[in-house]
Amino acid sequence: MDTLAALLNGFAIAFTPANLLWSLLGVTLGTAIGVLPGIGPALTIALLLPVTFHLDPTAAFIIFGGLYYGAMYGSSTTSILLNTPGETGSIVTAIDGHMMAKKGRAAAALATAAIGSFVAGTIATVGLSFVSPLMVKIALLFGPAEYFSLMILAFVTVSALLGDSTLRGMSSLFIGLAIGLIGIDTQTGQARFTFGLLPLLDGIDVVVVAVGLFALGEAFHVAYRLARAPDELSRVTGSLWMSKSDWSRSWKPWLRGTAIGFPLGSLPAGGTEIPTFLSYLTEKRLSKKPEEFGQGAIEAVAGPEAANNAAVAGVLVPLLSFGLPTSATAAILLAAFQQYGLQPGPMLFSANSTLVWALIASLYLGNFMLLVLNLPLVGLWAKLLLIPRPYLYGGILMFSMLGVFSLNNAVFDLWLLLGIGVVGFLMRQMDYPVAPLVVGLILGPLAEGQFRRAYAIAQGDVSVFFTQPISLALLLVAALCVLGPVILRRMRR
Amino acid sequence: MNELTRRQLMKSGVALSTLATLGTLLPQAALALDELTVIAPAAPGGGWDQTARSIQEVLQTSGIVKAVQVDNVPGAGGTVGLAQFANSKGDASKLLVGGLVMVGAILTNKSPVTLKDVTPLARLTGEYEVVVVPAASELNSMADLVAKLKADPGSVSWGGGSAGGTDHILCGLIAKAGGADVTKVNYIAFSGGGEALAAIVGGHVTAGVSGIGEFEAQIKAGELRALAISSPERLPGLDAPTLMEQGLDVELANWRGIFAAGELADGDRQALLDVIDQMVKSDGWKNILSTRGWMDVYLAGDDFASYLTAEDERITAILKEIGLVS
């Protein structure tokens, strides 16, 4: 009951008028940066640090918390409406979310994303309050071998994203894996496939690829079509709001997404992307209409959106209870803590409990505020699609370029973006799915790094992946995902 | 030139349109002639970024320079930022943050631009390294670790930061000083301090190497045991012996410093050295050093330049022995 009392006390602090305003500022700023690809919460918090240093720590962390959650909300909005994921965590959302928008169901997609994010954020914040110490213990059991097996499980999910033709999907995946090899090899520090070009040493940023393939590819495709046929205005058909069947199809994915996102987010190398892939796979496997996936299935928006928000809360678990930064944003939050002379870690909860609980309470608050802010705006956002195509896509091009440029302040990235945009256009023309490419690019380098770490630690003994219990269990689940449907089909015959 | 102005135009465009909201929050400096841009050749959040932002804060609040801007040019151990910085020859309005990691990265990346193309101003801060093992480890001293290393170098897996970085270099130096085979050092590079920390605490690697600041909380909480620190003498507030006292002739600091553009006029160089000198002696700077836990290793001008040459030779030698540089 101590926890509950401390939490209530935290709420008392978070609910002062001044702190409510800071929270509002945080979520608004967060939504704005989430909308822009390239500008993420890490950069924004870094920019704000010199300013917020003059505030008291509670107010500063209330802003940062709102910002972190807000970014995820904003990013899903652009994924759905404009096919332009602002953060990597909402790449999966773009697949079915944008299809829904095209079919005039933008409002329902936005609503299920917003409510799903709220539900997931709330449950995950409760989890953060009560099971943090336990989660950290589990997370520490994950070493390179376990991570590699987790990546294998994530790779299996790619099959759910492949689309109609396995051959085309696999081609796309392998292009992504190849692009992922570009840059400095993590284990030896040697450059690979950089052709002596300095900007390629750090590899090609996933955001550049995602924005190029999704947003630019789409824009070129639309331009190509408009040149041949007159513009037909996007219709907003059906109810603006979620229908009864939307609700009944959404609530389970929300909960499942949360259950996947929170624990994976709290793993030191979990991130927000892998939970969204796994959630997509889960929903497609469980769905009675898997053929709708890729054509605008609401489950495919509800699940991954809940998963990425829950993962964001998960990232705070190792940060607060162990002082372990597991993402760029967490690293800068750690720097912020240190600026105030606070050291996150096992002692933070006891030494600065008021601050920690105020932060946790303000996360609940930020989530609630985002829902209140976003739901009434859903209809308005959806009207964005009524803008005549040339202007809308002109705006998207501008937006994408600004965002990508701000990533590294490099003109090189803009040329890269353009080149990838053309590739995306060609892939679309020839009916190749682009999502597997992005997945390959994200997972490939991660899986390679973890495999080689595990291999080196075991001094070249591959059996390490099968002798560690967690690793073995993950591999078995992956095998089940591949073989399960085949076996089931056989048995039914 | 055309390229540069266009880039600046676009940059200001980004700043205006996308960060307009943020801009209004930032302290607005009055229009002044003395403006300075500090380039952090890394993403926000890391050591170089924090150094650049600390310089910005102190220079502005103490009024030494009226307006200071920080630009992040991340990538490849700082060599991307360095290469870009090398283009602004003779420009006294730009500074670059760098350090030991950049010395190593220039070598491993075979960077066409080196620190010889810029003007070294001063070494500012340093952080010593610590060697840790998980609390449950049977290794209790460096002697235990070195004995294991000598018997079978591969059986000791070292967890640390990027390959060829400070942590990796220290592992090489320890193996060499302990008489083990340097080419067989089993170094496991992790991306980001958090991931390395989790692998060490979780017992997935034998030992861990990192800056003291990154492990301090876990050492104090008893999750990790500090076997040695890389400083010449023991440090206050941390109960750990030095490598030297345990018979390993190794000393290493992850230093960070500040550089000016190449081919700088003598007057400009002196003016910038004065600015840095004033900053280092200000109370604001001293405050930052103590809150961040950075050691003051101020070394300016020609002394720093000759230190840099010596450091370059030492790092080149050890990276060659590890096999990262041919």
Side-chain angles (χ1 to χ4, degrees):
Chain A
M1 276 299 104
D2 274 356
T3 313
L4 200 62
L7 185 62
L8 287 176
N9 189 30
F11 268 107
I13 296 166
F15 269 91
T16 59
N19 283 342
L20 283 173
L21 272 178
W22 291 127
S23 181
L24 184 67
L25 177 76
V27 297
T28 315
L29 258 180
T31 310
I33 57 160
V35 161
L36 270 179
I39 297 184
L43 178 68
T44 316
I45 295 177
L47 285 172
L48 284 176
L49 274 183
V51 188
T52 50
F53 189 56
H54 302 288
L55 298 173
D56 74 294
T58 317
F61 285 108
I62 284 175
I63 297 178
F64 297 158
L67 214 136
Y68 203 6
Y69 272 135
M72 278 295 153
Y73 269 79
S75 169
S76 53
T77 306
T78 47
S79 278
I80 291 167
L81 293 178
L82 309 177
N83 206 13
T84 309
E87 312 287 331
T88 48
S90 41
I91 286 170
V92 173
T93 312
I95 305 171
D96 282 73
H98 190 60
M99 284 310 277
M100 283 181 75
K102 275 187 169 169
K103 291 180 174 166
R105 310 226 313 122
L110 287 170
T112 196
I115 302 170
S117 297
F118 172 73
V119 170
T122 305
I123 298 175
T125 319
V126 174
L128 177 63
S129 322
F130 294 96
V131 297
S132 276
L134 180 72
M135 289 302 306
V136 170
K137 273 198 194 110
I138 296 172
L140 286 177
L141 295 176
F142 273 70
E146 285 76 14
Y147 279 120
F148 176 70
S149 301
L150 179 66
M151 306 291 164
I152 291 296
L153 180 58
F155 266 118
V156 168
T157 65
V158 177
S159 63
L161 295 164
L162 287 182
D164 304 329
S165 156
T166 312
L167 184 64
R168 281 159 194 249
M170 291 301 269
S171 314
S172 175
L173 174 71
F174 275 90
I175 296 173
L177 288 173
I179 296 177
L181 290 175
I182 296 172
I184 293 175
D185 165 41
T186 53
Q187 292 307 298
T188 60
Q190 307 299 308
R192 299 190 297 196
F193 305 108
T194 55
F195 307 103
L197 290 168
L198 209 51
L200 285 180
L201 275 180
D202 268 358
I204 297 179
D205 202 291
V206 181
V207 173
V208 179
V209 175
V211 171
L213 288 179
F214 284 92
L216 263 70
E218 171 90 6
F220 293 157
H221 175 72
V222 169
Y224 177 80
R225 235 186 33 213
L226 281 186
R228 271 137 224 277
D231 188 9
E232 90 275 10
L233 271 183
S234 206
R235 5 59 326 139
V236 180
T237 49
S239 155
L240 259 184
W241 192 237
M242 286 168 69
S243 67
K244 207 173 218 173
S245 95
D246 286 339
W247 278 99
S248 69
R249 287 175 63 176
S250 287
W251 72 271
K252 279 186 203 154
W254 291 338
L255 296 182
R256 283 192 290 258
T258 311
I260 292 169
F262 182 65
L264 289 183
S266 61
L267 290 179
T272 53
E273 299 93 6
I274 294 173
T276 59
F277 304 152
L278 288 177
S279 166
Y280 192 95
L281 172 83
T282 313
E283 296 314 326
K284 190 173 179 182
R285 285 272 187 270
L286 293 174
S287 170
K288 289 189 189 93
K289 299 172 186 163
E291 69 281 359
E292 277 186 21
F293 279 67
Q295 308 299 324
I298 196 164
E299 293 92 337
V301 179
E305 272 305 304
N308 70 26
N309 249 56
V312 163
V315 166
L316 293 173
V317 169
L319 179 70
L320 290 180
S321 51
F322 209 75
L324 230 155
T326 56
S327 69
T329 314
I332 195 117
L333 278 175
L334 183 65
F337 273 105
Q338 283 162 346
Q339 197 176 37
Y340 288 109
L342 305 166
Q343 182 62 51
M347 271 99 81
L348 184 72
F349 274 86
S350 49
N352 299 88
S353 64
T354 340
L355 174 71
V356 176
W357 290 110
L359 171 67
I360 291 176
S362 65
L363 289 178
Y364 285 100
L365 187 71
N367 245 310
F368 181 69
M369 233 171 221
L370 279 165
L371 188 71
V372 171
L373 274 179
N374 277 284
L375 273 189
L377 289 178
V378 159
L380 192 71
W381 282 122
K383 289 221 173 70
L384 210 63
L385 294 179
L386 296 176
I387 298 173
R389 298 286 171 87
Y391 300 118
L392 181 63
Y393 283 95
I396 293 177
L397 286 181
M398 181 72 199
F399 227 38
S400 309
M401 287 170 65
L402 275 177
V404 163
F405 181 74
S406 65
L407 216 56
N408 290 322
N409 289 350
V411 179
F412 181 84
D413 284 349
L414 291 177
W415 290 112
L416 206 58
L417 177 74
L418 187 67
I420 294 167
V422 172
V423 172
F425 167 68
L426 293 175
M427 286 175 74
R428 187 153 313 212
Q429 289 298 316
M430 292 180 241
D431 208 19
Y432 279 82
V434 291
L437 196 162
V438 181
V439 174
L441 177 59
I442 292 174
L443 289 181
L446 286 175
E448 188 207 347
Q450 301 293 8
F451 176 81
R452 287 175 55 191
R453 280 179 201 131
Y455 195 68
I457 291 171
Q459 297 188 66
D461 182 5
V462 195
S463 72
V464 64
F465 299 107
F466 307 103
T467 49
Q468 310 273 356
I470 298 177
S471 174
L472 179 67
L474 286 166
L475 287 177
L476 287 177
V477 174
L480 205 67
C481 283
V482 178
L483 301 174
V486 183
I487 297 169
L488 272 180
R489 227 171 294 147
R490 287 261 167 90
M491 277 165 50
R492 263 180 218 152
R493 262 179 214 164
Chain B
M1 268 298 103
N2 196 9
E3 169 84 2
L4 206 72
T5 41
R6 210 172 0 158
R7 187 180 295 173
Q8 275 164 350
L9 262 177
M10 291 200 64
K11 205 178 284 178
S12 53
V14 172
L16 279 176
S17 56
T18 66
L19 297 175
T21 25
L22 293 179
T24 52
L25 286 168
L26 296 169
Q28 298 289 318
L31 270 179
L33 285 174
D34 41 354
E35 285 183 4
L36 210 53
T37 300
V38 181
I39 295 165
W48 286 338
D49 178 64
Q50 287 176 21
T51 308
R53 287 178 201 281
S54 304
I55 292 172
Q56 174 190 38
E57 194 184 318
V58 176
L59 287 181
Q60 275 185 177
T61 50
S62 61
I64 301 170
V65 178
K66 289 209 174 98
V68 183
Q69 195 196 337
V70 172
D71 257 0
N72 293 92
V73 188
T79 50
V80 172
L82 175 67
Q84 191 181 320
F85 185 66
N87 288 330
S88 39
K89 284 197 169 59
D91 183 352
S93 71
K94 282 189 184 140
L95 296 177
L96 174 80
V97 172
L100 179 69
V101 175
M102 196 184 268
V103 174
I106 290 169
L107 294 165
T108 47
N109 297 346
K110 302 184 186 70
S111 166
V113 178
T114 70
L115 291 173
K116 292 199 177 70
D117 298 300
V118 296
T119 309
L121 287 181
R123 186 179 69 183
L124 293 174
T125 64
E127 201 185 359
Y128 289 109
E129 299 263 304
V130 61
V131 181
V132 295
V133 290
S137 168
E138 80 260 3
L139 304 171
N140 286 308
S141 68
M142 280 312 287
D144 293 351
L145 187 62
V146 170
K148 193 170 160 70
L149 199 61
K150 267 180 158 170
D152 180 4
S155 70
V156 177
S157 49
W158 304 82
S162 58
T166 315
D167 307 338
H168 197 170
I169 289 169
L170 184 67
C171 295
L173 290 172
I174 288 174
K176 192 182 169 191
D181 188 349
V182 180
T183 57
K184 293 208 175 99
V185 165
N186 191 3
Y187 184 78
I188 316 293
F190 287 87
S191 45
E195 224 183 296
L197 183 54
I200 299 158
V201 175
H204 301 286
V205 289
T206 317
V209 179
S210 186
I212 290 173
E214 289 201 52
F215 290 163
E216 206 172 4
Q218 284 70 30
I219 293 171
K220 286 187 175 148
E223 309 266 4
L224 294 174
R225 183 159 61 240
L227 294 187
I229 48 177
S230 70
S231 54
E233 273 140 40
R234 288 195 184 213
L235 298 175
L238 189 71
D239 179 27
T242 65
L243 287 165
M244 296 280 203
E245 18 175 324
Q246 299 183 76
L248 295 162
D249 187 18
V250 177
E251 189 194 318
L252 187 73
N254 183 16
W255 57 268
R256 301 188 186 105
I258 187 101
F259 298 83
E263 295 170 17
L264 211 58
D266 283 349
D268 285 344
R269 175 171 176 262
Q270 196 50 50
L272 288 172
L273 280 171
D274 290 344
V275 163
I276 298 297
D277 197 60
Q278 278 186 57
M279 177 193 79
V280 170
K281 296 195 167 122
S282 71
D283 288 339
W285 184 252
K286 283 170 190 145
N287 273 338
I288 282 187
L289 291 184
S290 72
T291 50
R292 297 247 187 232
W294 290 338
M295 313 286 291
D296 186 356
V297 291
Y298 181 49
L299 185 73
D302 295 338
D303 294 341
F304 177 47
S306 44
Y307 169 80
L308 204 57
T309 315
E311 193 76 342
D312 190 43
E313 279 168 16
R314 177 165 81 133
I315 302 305
T316 311
I318 194 69
L319 287 177
K320 270 187 184 159
E321 282 194 57
I322 297 173
L324 287 182
V325 175
S326 49

